[in-house]
């Protein structure tokens, strides 16, 4: 059932706990904080939509407010919905390029060598900065010449009796297929085959962040239709798996809560990769692994915390022989997808991330591990550490 | 997924238990639905503040035997209570939070309403008064606000304090240091809560090389040589106590910071310190998920399910229920009953709604609901459908048998029972091989 009239904001006791946890309110005085932007503002907006506060655009949708609220108010979601309903988004070419990841990805992958060199050049970066407002201090993600889908060979998966369907997302497909390849290796080593959707659209995270809600809703409907085809197919696909925490959160939670697209019938079968793997490990399906002998620092992405998934990734990592895991303080890195790329957010994004960068500089580890590609970019850019996905570490240990 | 210990609730009680378990090498996880009562608490620890006639107590340990029979202190015993407090103090010190005390007696701590509450530990930034003679050496108190902060009213502090023993003849100076004096951009001062003021000060004042000097001179000017300067706790969360010490040295004043309406910065410091200690001991803290129920078999709890992971159950050898009282939803009421919502454990609430509270809410009488809680045996094990559950321990505010506000014993009960449960678990697990503990970071 869809909860169309959410009144969770009425449970707010005005304790301000959410504001104590909001990384944006801490870094940017222009943002009024989740209590005002969420439950307080909602009352005003219901009365008069013109009371919508433009400053809501600063919210990164990290959901930390929601995780901390002792009264169960869906603070972040209230804000997301208000943005969807009232937000006057500026939608110039920059927003289009940053958000239409699948379209731009298709174009860029084809011309990957040229695009990668070009976007790394100083004059191009200055141009992007001046013309589009994409901050030149940010390194842009590279594009992969061969997409994940082009690399993937379905014929090699037919021999497995068990099957899952991998929702690869835009980044794995167009920018860096590494994690996707590693997921296939890990699952195959666990005697599980991988299939892909016939057609996959961007989950909608960057679209929503840039105000393209109608487009995101279309994508949601298309993806859910594809999921239904896969899961109801009689060649028994167990579930849909995503390796990107924000994709998983969106497919499971934001579709019904923000986009109001009903996924009730399928939701339980959409899983974050480490949730699936941790459950397999617990059930005794452990692939052959050799010790990796590494010491790594684990950074937990906001959207994984929100889904209650940190425990699964920790289980997965703890299951890898010879891996010593040090958990970082669970702070936000500040990148938040396309947020940190925008010139006007660059400083806020860096300020938010400082705590993570500072903690890492005091540590002596071989690698940083995190599940999120956007956290990875931010941490690599600011600390000099190489960042690995948990699935990649597991793939390295396969015997 | 299998753990040695799963702690449900990440407040003072749950984290004390969890830190002790993790330190002993047990694989421990804390699942907490949201922020605990610590963000609202004073950041001081009360052990036992008042006797049954509501008179302040100097020697809490001496009074424990006079507590009503069901009080949790009787279950854990005085010795455990002492050990738990020493453990807690050492943990806080290791996280850089010095908890001061007056040796073996209570001291007085000042509240934002000018009341004096007997406490056992206070943070360095708070002045600790002698309970017997709180006004000793004090003839002039300045109560100074910052930037018109609305959650601190100097008039109320002064009115309350002047009613305390010995304060009748003390002179009071009330002042407010304007935002302009501090060069801070407090935009809409009416919207600033304590933490937002701290963030503004950090950004606009303390980043200036002479920021602390500006504040110090402003305080000197406002305080007019008072023997004690009372300010709201708004300067800083992290490092807030050290900042107070620096400020005292710089200004030559004796300054006392007072926790304000939520969020309480001293409370937040304590929450951060506890979480840090747990992480350092190798524990896993999961926030934002809610335990919905469990699977029992005879007199054991085998596993639990959470809202976010409904189809994956988490099992453990031992469980600790530290879900707090009504405020944290560790206890709930509906039209007909008071209950423990996670497992449906037996509670001692009466079915008669009329009797839950006194007619006059602030009349000073004892409300029945504040005695309500989970019934446990001498080992803090609760009862589930007539069976005592031997591997589930209840700790902190979820327990029955005490009125934390009236007796002034909330902190002591949380720390004492949390530690006690951990000791029980550790000795029960002693037969099973224990992992090597690693001090990390
Ligand atoms: C305003 C205020 C002032 C105080 N001042 C003082 C003081 O000056 N001195 C003193 O000694 N003490 C003080 N205390 C009390 C002190 O903080 C107590 O120790 C505390 O209230 C009890 O701690 P607890 O850990 O039992 O519960 P709580 O702190 O209430 O924590 C319970 C936790 O459990 C979580 N939870 C609940 N249900 C679930 C579930 N189903 N699944 C997962 N998690 C769940 C909650 O989200 C919460 O985080 C004060 C308390 C308040 C509210
Ligand atoms: S934390 Fe929850 S209850 Fe507290 S102010 Fe924020 S939304 Fe309201
Ligand atoms: S979602 Fe994140 S950025 Fe937005 S209000 Fe909540 S805590 Fe702040």
């Amino acid at each position: 059932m869809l909860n169309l009239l959410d009144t969770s904001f009425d449970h707010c006791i005005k304790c301000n706990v959410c504001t104590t946890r909001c990384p944006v309110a801490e870094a940017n005085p222009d943002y009024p904080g989740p209590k005002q932007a969420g439950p307080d503002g909602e009352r005003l907006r219901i009365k008069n939509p013109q009371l919508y506060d433009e400053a809501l655009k600063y919210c990164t949708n990290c959901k930390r407010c929601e995780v901390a609220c002792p009264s169960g108010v869906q603070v972040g979601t209230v804000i997301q919905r208000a943005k969807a309903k009232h937000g006057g988004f500026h939608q110039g070419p920059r927003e289009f390029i940053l958000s239409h990841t699948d379209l731009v990805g298709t174009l860029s992958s084809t011309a990957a060598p040229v695009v990668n060199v070009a976007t790394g050049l100083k004059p191009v970066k200055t141009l992007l900065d001046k013309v589009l407002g994409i901050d030149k201090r940010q390194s842009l993600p590279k594009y992969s010449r061969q997409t994940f889908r082009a690399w993937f060979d379905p014929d090699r998966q037919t021999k497995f009796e068990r099957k899952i369907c991998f929702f690869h997302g835009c980044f794995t497909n167009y920018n860096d297929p590494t994690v996707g390849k590693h997921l296939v290796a890990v699952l195959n080593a666990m005697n599980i085959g991988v299939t892909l959707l016939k057609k996959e659209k961007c989950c909608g995270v960057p679209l929503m962040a840039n105000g393209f809600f109608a487009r995101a809703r279309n994508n949601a409907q298309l993806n859910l239709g594809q999921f239904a085809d896969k899961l109801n197919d009689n060649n028994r696909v167990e579930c849909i798996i995503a390796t990107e925490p924000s994709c998983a959160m969106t497919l499971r939670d934001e579709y019904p809560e923000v986009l109001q697209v009903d996924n009730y019938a399928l939701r339980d079968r959409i899983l974050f990769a480490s949730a699936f793997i941790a459950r397999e490990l617990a059930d005794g399906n452990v692939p052959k692994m050799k010790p990796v002998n590494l010491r790594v620092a684990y950074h937990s992405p906001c959207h994984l915390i929100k889904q209650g998934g940190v425990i699964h990734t920790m289980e997965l990592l703890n299951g890898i022989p010879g891996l010593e895991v040090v958990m970082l303080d669970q702070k936000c890195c500040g990148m938040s997808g396309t947020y940190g790329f925008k010139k006007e957010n660059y400083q806020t994004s860096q300020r938010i991330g400082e705590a993570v960068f500072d903690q890492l500089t005091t540590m002596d580890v071989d690698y940083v591990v995190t599940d999120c590609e956007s956290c990875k970019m931010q941490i690599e850019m600011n600390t000099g550490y190489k960042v690995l996905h948990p699935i990649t570490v597991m793939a390295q240990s396969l015997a | 997924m299998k753990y040695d210990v799963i702690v449900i609730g990440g407040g003072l009680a749950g984290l004390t238990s969890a830190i002790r378990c993790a330190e002993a090498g047990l694989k421990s996880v804390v699942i907490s639905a949201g922020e605990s009562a610590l963000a609202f608490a004073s950041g001081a620890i009360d052990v036992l503040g008042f006797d049954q006639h509501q008179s302040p107590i100097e020697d809490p340990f001496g009074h424990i035997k006079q507590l009503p029979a069901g009080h949790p202190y009787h279950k854990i015993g005085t010795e455990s209570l002492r050990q738990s407090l020493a453990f807690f103090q050492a943990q806080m010190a290791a996280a850089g939070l010095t908890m001061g005390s007056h040796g073996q007696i209570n001291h007085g701590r000042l509240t934002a309403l000018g009341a004096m509450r007997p406490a056992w530990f206070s943070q360095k930034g708070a002045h600790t008064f002698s309970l017997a003679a709180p006004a000793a050496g004090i003839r002039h108190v300045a109560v100074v606000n910052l930037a018109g902060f609305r959650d601190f009213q100097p008039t109320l502090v002064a009115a309350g304090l002047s009613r305390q023993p010995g304060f009748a003849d003390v002179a009071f100076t009330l002042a407010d240091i304007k935002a302009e004096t501090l060069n801070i951009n407090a935009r809409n001062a009416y919207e600033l809560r304590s933490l937002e003021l701290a963030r503004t000060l950090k950004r606009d004042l303390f980043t200036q090389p002479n920021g602390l000097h500006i504040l110090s001179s402003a305080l000197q000017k406002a305080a007019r040589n008072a023997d004690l300067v009372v300010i709201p706790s708004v300067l800083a969360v992290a490092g807030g106590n050290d900042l107070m010490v620096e400020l005292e040295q710089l200004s030559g004043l004796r300054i006392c910071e007072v926790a304000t309406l939520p969020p309480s910065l001293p409370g937040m410091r304590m929450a951060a310190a506890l979480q840090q200690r747990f992480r350092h001991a190798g524990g896993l803290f999961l926030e934002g998920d809610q335990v919905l129920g469990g699977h029992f078999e005879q007199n054991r709890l085998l596993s639990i399910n959470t809202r976010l992971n409904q189809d994956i159950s988490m099992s453990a050898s031992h469980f600790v229920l530290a879900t707090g009282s009504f405020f944290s939803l560790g206890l709930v009421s509906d039209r007909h009953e008071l209950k423990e919502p996670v497992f449906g454990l037996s509670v001692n609430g009466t079915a008669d709604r009329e009797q839950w509270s006194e007619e006059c809410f602030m009349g000073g009488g004892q409300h029945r609901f504040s005695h309500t809680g989970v019934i446990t045996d001498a080992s803090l094990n609760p009862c589930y459908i007539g069976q005592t559950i031997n591997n589930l321990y209840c700790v902190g505010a979820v327990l029955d048998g005490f009125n934390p506000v009236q007796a002034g014993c909330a902190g002591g009960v949380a720390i004492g029972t949390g530690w006690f449960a951990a000791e029980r678990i550790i000795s029960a697990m002693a037969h099973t091989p224990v992992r090597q503990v690693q001090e990390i970071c």
Side-chain angles (χ1 to χ4, degrees), chain B residues 409-433:
Chain B
C409 63
V413 168
I415 293 169
T417 54
W419 186 86
F420 176 85
E423 288 299 318
R424 290 267 151 162
I425 293 169
I426 292 164
S427 65
M429 298 282 300
H431 313 291
T432 46

Side-chain angles (χ1 to χ4, degrees), chain A residues 16 21 30 68 312 329-330, chain B residues 35 187 279 285 287 309:
Chain A
N16 280 294
R21 302 294 190 86
D30 293 334
H312 302 127
D329 295 351
Q330 305 192 23
Chain B
E35 182 64 89
R187 296 192 209 195
R279 240 185 340 257
F285 188 76
E287 200 179 19
N309 288 306

Side-chain angles (χ1 to χ4, degrees), chain A residues 11-19 35 39 65 68-73 75:
Chain A
H11 297 163
C12 171
I13 57 161
K14 310 297 168 202
C15 68
N16 280 294
V17 157
C18 49
T19 303
K35 172 173 162 285
C65 45
C69 173
S71 312
V73 180
V75 200

